[in-house]
RNA sequence: GUGGGUGUAGCUCAGCUGGUAGAGCUCUGGAUUGUGGUUCCAGCCGUCGCGGGUUCGAUCCCCGUCACUCACCCCA
């Protein structure tokens, strides 16, 4: 106290134990499930040369225009804290010649992303994503499988009430004609568009469809729809994606306005939203980006991917009990002698080596106070080591819930406790199922 | 970058047209000798975000500033 507090940077969070447990659960499930679909992890750097993002995400995107954490390193090179994962993934795919392995490659990543935006509910300057990318196939089954993985993951971690929105953005063959039609349409209602969209018409007219400004939404209500402009290839591709999703009862809504903020998307685009999230309601988003690998100097390679926002996912999981980890066993000492202190130290260590989650009282004091610490720790069993125990060479084991106590020889203690703990956990699981 | 809301003990908050602050929880100690959770008793903790102004006097009024928060833009 007294010294001026050093606080965290705006828009970042400390994830405390009550929450970090959930994070661990979410990440573990992701790893397991993604592996089930034959994805492998790639650990990417959190910063890259600025061109990696500037080139791929699109110069006109908000991310590149105003949201990147860009700085010069000591050599004067411009570097950027990654605002998303796909660009790094593609860079790594090309740089490591992963296309040389042939066939379809599936990778996932997980970690922090950085965007210099004004924070608000569900939006942070450092946030975390779990992302998946598939390279090497334009088969609509890949699109469907990818979306299915996403949906399976989200329901698997326990979030409900989600909406999947789906659209096709066309390809270099058909998008230009749509873009022209849309631009012509927007020109006729210039006055009704917001400043932002008016400025974007020439550079990226599709974004007007996505704009949340009421006047824009009204203005684009009967704008041309991309679906009417898809080429034969894109049309059949999209139809197949939908059919496959339907075959697995994946509920989705077609949304011709879904264009996504990043420029690299082609064909399939999708987003998962929840009405329980506030204004920033997208929990995951993704799409196909068939031109990006080539853009990075690789061979022409079809690819598709998605990213899930972990913070937003966790928000939807909140409300359950706060389960902080508690040790199974807590060791206390009765008596001030060094012998007791030594024995407590030894017992705690022996239990841990035996694989038992154990902690102990520190700082000595009366048994009563140490029992309070034992209680507060949440441990189900307390091991009492005192002068009496030392002379008899047995530990006193107290079951906290019932208050019953047992005398257990020290050399049998680890065995006794691990059996007891296993039985209790078994019992709790059975109880839980019932 | 723009707008709204909030800023009082570790936490959640109270504080009536302005008279320099409380409550609950937490925490610490105690209720006789080696036994926790309940109960009872006692105790600690505040530059009322910061700076200025009005006033005899401001936590409460005014101005500024900072922080947090929500929303716009956009996205995870």
């Amino acid at each position: 106290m007294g010294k001026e507090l050093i606080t965290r940077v705006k828009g970042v969070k400390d994830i405390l134990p009550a929450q970090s447990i959930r994070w661990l659960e979410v990440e573990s499930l992701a790893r397991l499930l993604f592996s089930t679909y034959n994805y492998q992890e790639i650990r990417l750097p959190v910063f890259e040369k600025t061109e990696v993002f500037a080139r791929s995400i699109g110069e006109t995107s908000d991310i590149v225009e105003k949201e990147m954490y860009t700085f010069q390193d000591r050599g004067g090179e411009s570097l950027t804290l990654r605002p998303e994962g796909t660009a790094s993934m593609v860079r790594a795919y090309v740089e490591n010649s992963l296309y040389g392995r042939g066939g379809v490659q599936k990778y996932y990543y997980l970690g922090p992303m950085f965007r210099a935006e004004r924070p608000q509910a569900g939006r942070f300057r450092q946030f975390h994503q779990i992302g998946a990318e598939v390279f090497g196939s334009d088969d609509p089954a890949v699109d469907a499988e990818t979306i299915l993985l996403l949906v399976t993951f989200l329901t698997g971690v326990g979030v409900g009430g989600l909406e999947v929105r789906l659209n096709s953005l066309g390809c270099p063959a058909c998008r230009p004609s749509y873009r022209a039609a849309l631009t012509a349409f927007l020109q006729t209602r210039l006055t009704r568009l917001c400043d932002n969209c008016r400025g974007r018409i020439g550079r990226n007219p599709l974004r007007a469809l996505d704009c949340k400004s009421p006047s824009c939404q009204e203005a684009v209500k009967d704008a041309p729809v991309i679906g009417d402009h898809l080429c034969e290839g894109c049309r059949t591709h999209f139809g197949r994606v939908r059919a496959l999703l339907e075959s697995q009862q994946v509920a989705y809504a077609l949304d011709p306005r879904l264009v996504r903020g990043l420029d690299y998307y082609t064909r399939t685009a999708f987003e998962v939203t929840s009405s329980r999230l506030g204004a920033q309601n997208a929990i995951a988003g993704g799409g196909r980006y068939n031109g990006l690998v080539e853009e990075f100097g690789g061979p022409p390679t079809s690819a598709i991917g998605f990213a899930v926002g972990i913070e937003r996912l966790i928000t939807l999981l909140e409300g359950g009990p706060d389960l902080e980890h508690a040790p199974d066993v807590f060791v206390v000492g009765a008596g001030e002698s060094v012998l007791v202190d030594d024995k407590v130290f030894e017992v705690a260590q022996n239990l841990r080596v035996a694989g038992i989650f154990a902690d102990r009282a520190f700082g000595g004091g009366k048994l009563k106070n140490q029992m309070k610490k034992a209680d507060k720790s949440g441990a189900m069993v307390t091991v009492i080591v005192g002068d009496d125990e030392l002379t008899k060479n047995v530990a006193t084991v107290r079951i906290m819930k019932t208050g019953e106590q047992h005398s257990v020889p020290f050399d049998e203690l680890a065995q006794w406790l691990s059996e007891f703990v296993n039985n209790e956990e078994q019992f709790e699981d059975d109880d839980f199922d019932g």
Side-chain angles (χ1 to χ4, degrees):
Chain A
M1 301 293 267
K3 293 267 193 196
E4 199 177 324
L5 208 57
I6 301 175
T7 60
R8 68 186 101 94
V9 169
K10 183 200 286 290
V12 307
K13 281 262 195 288
D14 298 312
I15 298 155
L16 301 176
Q19 288 300 312
S20 64
I21 291 181
R22 291 187 201 281
W23 279 69
L24 209 52
E25 285 171 357
V26 166
E27 289 163 356
S28 312
L29 180 67
R31 293 200 141 92
L32 177 64
L33 187 66
F34 286 32
S35 297
T36 307
Y37 283 72
N38 197 31
Y39 282 76
Q40 291 182 285
E41 182 177 11
I42 293 189
R43 301 207 178 192
L44 298 162
V46 297
F47 62 110
E48 299 271 0
K49 293 177 184 171
T50 300
E51 314 93 90
V52 169
F53 307 112
R55 277 237 306 272
S56 62
I57 296 172
E59 304 284 355
T60 65
S61 71
D62 280 15
I63 291 178
V64 172
E65 278 184 347
K66 55 183 194 192
E67 294 172 4
M68 296 206 302
Y69 275 109
T70 296
F71 60 96
Q72 299 225 319
D73 76 356
R74 293 175 184 221
E77 186 163 43
S78 179
L79 304 180
T80 294
L81 262 37
R82 63 177 181 188
E84 59 111 36
T86 298
S88 299
M89 197 74 200
V90 171
R91 191 227 81 226
Y93 177 80
V94 173
E95 183 169 354
N96 296 290
S97 306
L98 297 178
Y99 48 80
R101 306 171 66 160
V104 174
Q105 305 289 322
K106 301 179 182 180
Y107 302 106
Y108 74 90
Y109 60 86
L110 153 178
M113 306 293 161
F114 306 86
R115 265 129 88 159
E117 302 177 277
R118 271 288 241 283
Q120 72 184 72
R123 186 164 68 198
F124 314 99
R125 290 188 170 180
Q126 176 176 334
F127 61 101
H128 298 76
Q129 290 186 329
I130 300 174
E133 316 286 352
V134 182
F135 296 95
S137 175
D138 194 37
D139 189 330
V142 171
D143 304 48
E145 184 186 282
T146 303
I147 294 170
L148 189 58
L149 165 61
L150 173 57
V151 170
T152 305
F153 170 60
L154 293 175
T155 48
V157 297
V159 303
L162 298 175
E163 189 186 0
V164 179
R165 294 184 301 129
L166 194 62
N167 194 18
S168 174
L169 301 179
C171 65
C174 54
R175 184 135 42 139
S177 92
Y178 173 64
R179 188 176 155 139
L182 180 63
T183 304
F185 172 86
L186 291 175
Q187 296 287 0
T188 67
R189 355 212 124 189
L190 268 187
T191 54
R192 288 158 62 181
L193 297 177
C194 69
D195 294 348
N196 224 324
C197 288
R198 214 172 300 148
R200 279 195 298 229
I201 283 190
R203 300 184 300 167
N204 197 344
L206 299 208
R207 298 288 294 288
L209 296 178
D210 217 17
C211 186
K212 281 179 189 156
S213 138
S215 64
C216 289
Q217 292 208 347
E218 182 62 26
V220 302
K221 223 170 62 183
D222 38 27
V225 173
I226 179 95
D228 297 336
H229 289 258
L230 291 181
C231 62
E232 191 53 37
C234 286
R235 192 188 309 277
T236 51
H237 182 94
F238 193 43
R240 188 71 186 133
V241 173
R242 294 175 55 186
L244 287 169
L245 286 176
E246 283 157 21
S247 78
Q248 289 297 315
Q249 290 82 46
V250 175
Y252 65 86
L254 282 183
D255 184 354
R257 306 258 174 76
L258 177 68
V259 300
R260 318 270 312 140
L262 285 57
D263 287 357
Y264 51 62
Y265 288 116
T266 56
R267 291 198 160 169
T268 312
F270 53 93
E271 208 166 271
V272 182
T273 56
S274 165
S275 54
R276 287 176 44 206
L277 277 177
Q280 308 306 323
N281 62 356
I283 181 171
R288 185 164 272 291
Y289 48 94
N290 287 347
L292 197 53
V293 171
E294 203 172 354
E295 191 70 28
F296 271 82
T301 305
S302 296
I304 183 170
F306 66 77
V308 183
I310 307 184
E311 280 82 356
R312 293 182 186 176
L313 178 55
I314 299 278
T315 300
L316 292 175
L317 260 29
E318 275 168 7
D322 274 0
L323 302 168
E324 294 200 29
H325 275 304
D328 290 327
V329 178
F330 198 85
V331 186
V332 304
E336 300 291 323
S337 80
V338 176
L339 263 58
V340 168
D341 202 40
D342 286 351
K343 194 65 177 176
V344 169
F345 194 79
E346 176 196 316
V347 167
Q349 174 63 6
N350 288 345
L351 295 183
R352 291 156 178 167
V353 167
I356 295 168
F357 293 12
D359 205 350
R360 50 158 294 184
F362 290 104
K366 291 198 240 179
L367 180 59
K368 184 184 180 70
N369 285 328
Q370 299 207 46
M371 288 305 291
K372 280 189 181 176
K373 291 174 186 172
D375 183 53
K376 219 164 68 176
S377 79
M380 61 173 127
V381 178
T382 299
V383 172
I384 300 167
V385 178
D387 297 321
D388 292 355
E389 282 78 5
L390 286 183
T391 44
K392 293 181 193 157
N393 203 33
V394 294
T396 298
V397 174
R398 181 179 178 87
I399 314 306
M400 297 303 269
K401 200 158 58 179
T402 61
E404 63 182 293
Q405 300 196 161
H406 307 269
S407 290
V408 180
F410 281 115
D411 54 9
E412 294 169 22
L413 189 58
Q415 179 66 27
W416 194 98
L417 285 171
S418 77
E419 277 171 23
F420 179 83
V421 167
N422 284 338
N423 278 335
E424 282 297 305
E425 276 165 5
Q426 185 102 34
F427 180 72
E428 276 179 16
D429 288 348
D430 292 349
D431 208 39
F432 187 73
D433 290 341

